[in-house]
Amino acid sequence: MEVTNTARIALTALRRNKVRSALTALGVIIGVASVIAMIALSSGARAAIDAQIQSTGTNVIYVSAGSFGSWGRVRGGTGSVQTLTIEDAQALKDQVWSVSHMTPIVHGHVQVITGNENWPTSIDGGNEDYVVVRNWPIASGANISPRDVLTADKVCLLGDTVVKNLFPGEDPVGQIVRIKNLPFRVVGVLAPKGQGQWGQDQDDLIVAPYTTLQKKLLGVTYLSQVMVSANRPETVESTAVEVTRLMRQRHKIQNPEDDDFNVRTVEEMAQTRVALAQTMTGLLMSVASVSLLVGGIGIMNIMLVSVTERTKEIGLRMAVGARTRDILSQFLAEAMSLSALGGVVGIALGVGVSRTLSGALGWPTQVTPFSVVLAFFFSAAVGVFFGYYPARKAAGLDPIDALHFE
């Protein structure tokens, strides 16, 4: 009964000055909405990065030609040096126990033509494990076969973007496309993947046997890259270490500064983006915290004004038997009611802003129950923290002085 009565008196006092109460709560509303929106953006960005990591491949480790030397000097790069061979790739598959799948990669850029349509795109040469390592389902048709790789057959898989530009509304499986005046038979279509980690269109791609690219398209004997997948997620890092050790052994490298290759995992490639997202989230959360701080100061100021305006009322309540803790709890309840109501409205506004950002701008957002609880907790804490001093001042008034206050 005492708690209910205190809450009723607090809400009645707030209703007396509706406009002032609403304006006082506005700072809390903006602060809570900012917290919700910022956490939603951070959670959405992290979820998007995780999804892109999964779409890149299954426990993938990249072994690229070229490396960074001392003082940041770049020695070659993918496709510009000839330090990776098919023997290196086969050794990784045979001698590193935790490697479950391997595909050599030969990369190039081509113009693909069919009928009156043509499209500039990228082409990857791989083997039958390419789609397995990259965790890339085939939407229709079949995969490249080991025989296609062995015989350097002119067959290919098309990405979704290539299909939409060359075969709009048609099934390309079984049809012929020309790449550098060579006819390639389309044996399958890759399922859509969307954007990669760096915003590139992963579906703007053709995949063919790497032997075909080496012998018939590019005229090279080396590899641009080797992609391997670890047998389990927890063995990715140890596999990367073993791959590095074996490559140094094969290339007779004693000093790591002399590496002519580069080994990276998907997680390492995503760390920069994650760190950037966390930095931006921290910055935006700081701004949101300032909004909450300003809202709390506003609550404290208004509550001090309220104590001054209601000094006689406080003296009268004390004269009829109200205890110090009753006065304290009443003004604390008013401050908490202001911040709690501001928190509820702020949560609704924050969810609305998050959905607007997601729908209108296409930004990934994810409102979590944790962010809602956290925002409401902080809004209530702001009410208690900034409302305690005015409440304590009201509770400490002398009843006789309060009754004579003008």
Side-chain angles (χ1 to χ4, degrees), residues 60-69 73-79 81-84 88 92 223-228 239-241 243-245 247-248 251 253 256-266 268-269:
V60 182
I61 299 166
Y62 296 88
V63 184
S64 304
S67 180
F68 289 91
R73 292 182 292 106
V74 180
R75 290 197 298 273
T78 301
V81 290
Q82 305 177 20
T83 56
L84 286 181
D88 290 329
L92 295 179
L223 303 177
S224 306
Q225 199 175 58
V226 179
M227 286 195 298
V228 299
T239 303
V241 172
V243 165
T244 302
R245 181 195 61 78
M247 287 295 295
R248 285 176 181 160
H251 290 202
I253 295 173
E257 291 290 334
D258 297 329
D259 284 350
D260 56 4
F261 61 92
N262 184 33
V263 178
R264 295 176 299 167
T265 66
V266 175
E268 289 172 344
M269 296 167 66

Side-chain angles (χ1 to χ4, degrees), residues 270-290:
Q271 281 178 357
T272 302
R273 293 187 64 193
V274 172
L276 179 61
Q278 290 175 342
T279 300
M280 291 301 298
T281 300
L283 178 62
L284 295 173
M285 285 291 290
S286 299
V287 175
S289 301
V290 170

Side-chain angles (χ1 to χ4, degrees), residues 270-385:
Q271 281 178 357
T272 302
R273 293 187 64 193
V274 172
L276 179 61
Q278 290 175 342
T279 300
M280 291 301 298
T281 300
L283 178 62
L284 295 173
M285 285 291 290
S286 299
V287 175
S289 301
V290 170
S291 299
L292 275 175
L293 178 63
V294 171
I297 293 173
I299 289 176
M300 183 170 65
N301 289 339
I302 292 301
M303 293 305 299
L304 286 171
V305 171
S306 180
V307 169
T308 303
E309 290 177 344
R310 296 158 60 189
T311 301
K312 279 193 174 182
E313 175 193 328
I314 295 168
L316 183 60
R317 289 196 64 195
M318 288 181 170
V320 297
R323 295 164 294 182
T324 300
R325 71 177 188 180
D326 295 329
I327 303 298
L328 180 68
S329 61
Q330 177 190 341
F331 281 88
L332 267 180
E334 290 182 23
M336 288 185 63
S337 298
L338 268 177
S339 60
L341 288 172
V344 171
V345 177
I347 288 170
L349 180 61
V351 172
V353 169
S354 300
R355 291 181 177 177
T356 300
L357 290 174
S358 181
L361 302 179
W363 294 358
T365 59
Q366 189 178 70
V367 179
T368 62
F370 169 76
S371 66
V372 173
V373 173
L374 180 67
F376 186 80
F377 170 79
F378 272 107
S379 68
V382 163
V384 174
F385 183 80

